[in-house]
Amino acid sequence: MLAFLADHSLIALIVILAAGLAIGRLRIFGMSLGAAAILFVAIFLSALDSHITFPPLIYQLGLALFVYSIGLAAGREFFASFASKGWRVNVFGGVMLLVLMGLAAGLAKLFGLDPTTASGTFAGSLTTTPGMAAIVELLKGTNPDLAAHPVVGYSLAYPGGVLGAIAVAAIGAGILKVNHIEDATREGLIHSRLRWRTVEIGEGVSGHISDVPRIAQADIIVTRMSLPDEHGGYAPQELAVPNTPLTPGLLLVIHGTDADLDTAISHLGAPAAVDVDMLEMSYGRVIVSNPAVAGRTIRDLDPISHGFIIARLRRGDEEVVAHESDMLELSDSLRVVAPKEQFPAVRRLLGDSENSLANVDLLPFAIGLLLGLLLGAIPIPLPGGTSLSLGFGGGPIVVGLLFGAFSHTGPVQWHLPYHANRVFTTFGLALFLAGVGTVAGPGFRNAMTDPASLKYIAMGFIITVTSALACGVVGMTVLKLRWDESMGMAAGMTTNPAVLGYLNNQTGTELAARGYATVYPIAMIGKILLCQALVVLLM
């Protein structure tokens, strides 16, 4: 069977993917590995037969797809948070990498390890393939006979680099009794269910409908209004035009969470005690599939001028009150209020086509990915005649973050529909884990037969656990992050998709991904530099 898999690489790849994904679903003590199980299946099979391997193209493509898709999804949040806490997280990340390099140097001296193999172990402990490759290139130019040593050290430390970070995340969440959903909710990533109510404006409330959220001191939106008529009743509902003055008796339909609605009504007046004719208005869900609309803010779209109001925005499983500053993306599901006769025009404007979303325009994705790979291939000269590059991981995520923040350039829409992005992210991660796992397998097998290799494994595991623990402690106490975001930062420090894949599967929220994306660029670049600096320091 092993010989058959070694002779048929494609079948071996699918076997590893299928077995890994199946094992990843198993829950033990409430935990599961998720996609990370693919890595360990690949290591296990390649340890049994070193001929079960794949071309580097497999994991390079997987890594590029994964990080570019992550960058597109996280770009806007990354830059939005940078001014508040993002810069502090990156300063910590830079300092932490220097501390870890010092720890690696100390452990190498303490254990009496070969400098070049120990440098590869440092790269493996933080699972940085580009860092290991940078050491190899450095040695090829200075001492070619030692160029294979870092690969051995990397292979020995890599499995522990994944397991150590996952263990800290799992054990820490258990000890701290982390409520993943509650933490994500408090960080604004998960929102309470939205409802609507009708409020009657009371005496002493002045301004215009556009002022209502400020007056109400709540995150709400006004979608419909009804003016008192001359007979003491109310006219049929109509769209809430922003410049309409607030007058006593005016009825407004407002949307928000129960808590925000209670707060708003207490500031605006009282719940309406009358029923209002709604026959002329329609309230329905419309999907954004028009590329000309995607990438524009609600303010730029100016729905009122098109005869409708966007009440709620749903992206993935989360539904929020729509704000003028919200940027629309392909596959966003919008709750729209409009006169019934206007709804066909609203659907034409926004698209509302599942079929067009399924026919993803891959040209912008391919262009963005190409630009990321080209950026990663640019050599950066270093003293001594050597050079480094961002590689297949660093270049794509930098470009992905930038395009994710800009969303579109003229008519070119960089964002993918939500579900398409998730498919690329998951598929890229799976390819990466399968490819890199077969690289690490033979070295792991040799470690089981050579007692001296245990020193390198121990060194790598100590560095990995120290990094994850420091991220957890400093993240929560100094940076004021939640545990899941701190562990996402720890995953970003390792730049390892396997750890993030585990966190995403275990927590069910986007909190870890936010921490991962925040620190990933500096971690990727920093480790490439420091891995080379370490081998120079030790030699």
Side-chain angles (χ1 to χ4, degrees):
M1 181 63 180
L2 292 175
F4 176 81
L5 293 178
D7 291 337
H8 298 81
S9 296
L10 180 58
I11 295 177
L13 175 62
I14 302 305
V15 167
I16 290 172
L17 293 179
L21 292 171
I23 294 172
R25 292 186 176 186
L26 301 177
R27 301 188 73 84
I28 302 175
F29 301 113
M31 297 183 297
S32 60
L33 287 174
I38 296 172
L39 173 70
F40 299 108
V41 171
I43 290 175
F44 175 74
L45 288 179
S46 61
L48 294 177
D49 187 338
S50 61
H51 295 97
I52 299 177
T53 185
F54 310 118
L57 176 65
I58 294 295
Y59 73 80
Q60 292 169 354
L61 174 62
L63 178 60
L65 288 174
F66 176 80
V67 297
Y68 181 67
S69 299
I70 284 284
L72 287 179
R76 193 175 300 123
E77 178 70 21
F78 172 81
F79 287 104
S81 67
F82 199 87
S84 56
K85 64 182 179 182
W87 70 270
R88 293 185 291 128
V89 171
N90 278 276
V91 168
F92 164 73
V95 172
M96 190 67 222
L97 287 175
L98 289 171
V99 171
L100 292 175
M101 187 187 74
L103 175 62
L107 290 173
K109 297 290 186 182
L110 177 65
F111 293 157
L113 304 179
D114 169 63
T116 53
T117 307
S119 298
T121 302
F122 174 63
S125 68
L126 296 177
T127 62
T128 170
T129 304
M132 181 268 292
I135 299 173
V136 172
E137 291 301 316
L138 177 65
L139 292 174
K140 282 182 178 179
T142 57
N143 199 331
D145 293 338
L146 301 177
H149 292 193
V151 181
V152 174
Y154 175 87
S155 299
L156 293 173
Y158 190 96
V162 176
L163 283 175
I166 290 176
V168 170
I171 294 172
I175 293 174
L176 297 174
K177 301 186 184 306
V178 174
N179 186 321
H180 307 294
I181 302 300
E182 182 179 319
D183 283 355
T185 300
R186 290 179 176 176
E187 289 297 310
L189 296 182
I190 298 178
H191 300 81
S192 300
R193 184 176 179 182
L194 300 181
R195 304 183 187 278
W196 64 269
R197 298 185 201 169
T198 306
V199 60
E200 182 178 345
I201 299 299
E203 297 288 344
V205 178
S206 61
H208 297 82
I209 285 181
S210 59
D211 302 318
V212 166
R214 176 184 56 81
I215 297 171
Q217 299 180 26
D219 185 18
I220 61 170
I221 185 171
V222 185
T223 59
R224 288 166 280 177
M225 65 181 184
S226 185
L227 299 168
D229 61 24
E230 56 189 18
H231 303 295
Y234 287 89
Q237 287 189 2
E238 55 186 284
L239 290 180
V241 180
N243 61 3
T244 302
L246 298 176
T247 56
L250 175 66
L251 297 187
L252 300 179
V253 176
I254 56 178
H255 294 248
T257 64
D258 283 330
D260 281 327
L261 291 175
D262 289 339
T263 300
I265 291 174
S266 68
H267 285 87
L268 295 173
V274 297
D275 291 328
V276 180
D277 183 7
M278 298 174 55
L279 294 178
E280 299 303 317
M281 301 298 295
S282 186
Y283 179 50
R285 191 174 292 279
V286 181
I287 298 172
V288 176
S289 64
N290 183 357
V293 170
R296 299 172 63 184
T297 64
I298 294 177
R299 180 185 296 108
D300 292 337
L301 183 62
D302 192 13
I304 286 289
S305 68
H306 295 282
F308 70 100
I309 288 178
I310 300 173
R312 308 178 189 180
L313 186 157
R314 180 167 182 157
R315 186 170 295 154
D317 290 336
E318 297 306 314
E319 188 172 51
V320 298
V321 169
H323 300 97
E324 287 188 334
S325 59
D326 288 334
M327 185 174 292
L328 300 178
E329 296 180 8
L330 292 173
S331 76
D332 281 350
S333 180
L334 309 178
R335 283 281 191 176
V336 170
V337 179
K340 288 185 177 181
E341 68 275 7
Q342 188 65 22
F343 243 80
V346 173
R347 296 186 188 280
R348 287 194 298 271
L349 174 66
L350 298 177
D352 200 35
S353 171
E354 292 280 4
N355 186 59
S356 64
L357 288 174
N359 296 321
V360 180
D361 182 5
L362 291 179
L363 179 58
F365 184 83
I367 292 173
L369 186 59
L370 173 61
L371 293 175
L373 293 171
L374 291 175
L375 176 63
I378 296 174
I380 304 172
L382 290 177
T386 60
S387 64
L388 60 86
S389 64
L390 294 178
F392 301 104
I397 197 170
V398 170
V399 173
L401 287 169
L402 290 172
F403 286 171
F406 294 142
S407 184
H408 66 102
T409 305
V412 180
Q413 174 59 235
W414 301 114
H415 276 187
L416 289 169
Y418 179 85
H419 299 93
N421 184 283
R422 287 305 183 91
V423 169
F424 276 117
T425 300
T426 303
F427 183 62
L429 172 62
L431 287 181
F432 172 79
L433 296 176
V436 81
T438 58
V439 173
F444 188 76
R445 179 196 60 199
N446 294 336
M448 299 299 99
T449 59
D450 183 3
S453 297
L454 296 177
K455 292 183 179 180
Y456 293 100
I457 295 176
M459 171 188 168
F461 194 75
I462 291 171
I463 295 171
T464 297
V465 171
T466 299
S467 174
L469 284 174
C471 286
V473 173
V474 175
M476 295 189 71
T477 59
V478 179
L479 301 175
K480 306 302 180 184
L481 307 178
R482 304 287 177 180
W483 177 256
D484 289 341
E485 188 169 4
S486 297
M487 288 299 95
M489 181 172 64
M493 291 291 290
T494 67
T495 57
N496 194 311
V499 181
L500 179 62
Y502 165 80
L503 291 170
N504 286 342
N505 180 73
Q506 195 66 28
T507 64
T509 76
E510 298 293 325
L511 200 50
R514 187 168 75 177
Y516 182 89
T518 301
V519 78
Y520 188 105
I522 192 172
M524 175 67 73
I525 297 169
K527 288 189 296 183
I528 292 173
L529 292 169
L530 294 182
C531 283
Q532 296 172 88
L534 178 62
V535 72
V536 173
L537 177 65
L538 291 177
M539 293 180 67

